[in-house]
Amino acid sequence: MRLFSAITPPDHVIEHLDEFLSVRREAGDFRWTTTDQWHLTLAFMPNVADRHLDDLVERLQRAGHKRHPFELSVGGGGAFPNVARAKVLYAAVPDVVELGRLATGARAAATRAGTEVDGGKFRAHLTLARLGQPQELTSWVRLLDAYQGPAWQVDEFALIESHLGEGPRKRPRYEVLDTFPFG
């Protein structure tokens, strides 16, 4: 199974960012992600064996119980791997200590459950668009730097399965397998 643990912003946060982008999307020749795909990935697990799933869920539940609710917002932007040769445009999320601790806990839970965790250093973001060829995106990042979304209280995270190619226009389809409340 292809899984990830993530925080999904509430509807009013997604709608606010979507409205900000709606009049600007036509100016970018990108593959825009859909709003139902917007999330903050805490740990990406590209190949989870069925035999590890129960242990993973139990460990993620414990990781959630160790955390306390915290406030988060989306504001600013960036590009991977960098602005000069970008392949991904994203909306940024400020560094919050509790968010970093949650990501560390989710990654540790996956590793202890015998699951490989992919990815480098945690950088909280919402992927907005993917580019077929690297492009220079300074103007888009500056535009996103002017954006500040509403704050919300994060009090849970989810374990989500990604079904590649099963969504509209051959995009991934996401299925929430479980949620893990804090405290």
Side-chain angles (χ1 to χ4, degrees), residues 89-178:
L89 176 67
Y90 67 82
V93 176
D95 288 333
V96 174
V97 173
E98 276 296 314
L99 178 59
R101 289 179 180 158
L102 178 60
T104 299
R107 289 171 180 217
T111 301
R112 288 185 186 118
T115 299
E116 176 190 344
V117 178
D118 196 14
K121 183 180 180 234
F122 174 70
R123 188 180 307 171
H125 68 281
L126 296 175
T127 298
L128 300 176
R130 290 181 168 68
L131 293 73
Q133 298 293 320
Q135 292 183 35
E136 200 284 326
L137 293 183
T138 300
S139 61
W140 281 94
V141 171
R142 284 187 182 145
L143 173 75
L144 287 166
D145 281 345
Y147 175 76
Q148 181 58 54
W152 82 94
Q153 185 86 355
V154 178
D155 56 9
E156 70 176 13
F157 70 105
L159 179 63
I160 302 171
E161 185 171 6
S162 175
H163 302 275
L164 293 178
E166 293 184 14
R169 292 184 280 161
K170 304 235 180 219
R171 293 184 176 166
R173 177 180 60 82
Y174 296 150
E175 176 185 0
V176 174
L177 300 182
D178 210 335

Side-chain angles (χ1 to χ4, degrees), residues 53-73:
L53 185 59
D54 289 341
D55 190 27
L56 175 62
V57 167
E58 185 178 310
R59 290 177 184 277
L60 289 172
Q61 186 172 28
R62 279 187 279 189
H65 284 305
K66 293 178 183 177
R67 303 280 54 97
H68 300 285
F70 57 92
E71 192 170 275
L72 207 55
S73 62

Side-chain angles (χ1 to χ4, degrees), residues 26-49:
E26 289 180 21
D29 186 25
F30 311 143
R31 288 183 321 232
W32 292 97
T33 57
T34 57
T35 57
D36 63 324
Q37 295 177 321
W38 289 354
H39 60 272
L40 297 155
T41 301
L42 302 168
F44 175 62
M45 299 154 276
N47 192 18
V48 179

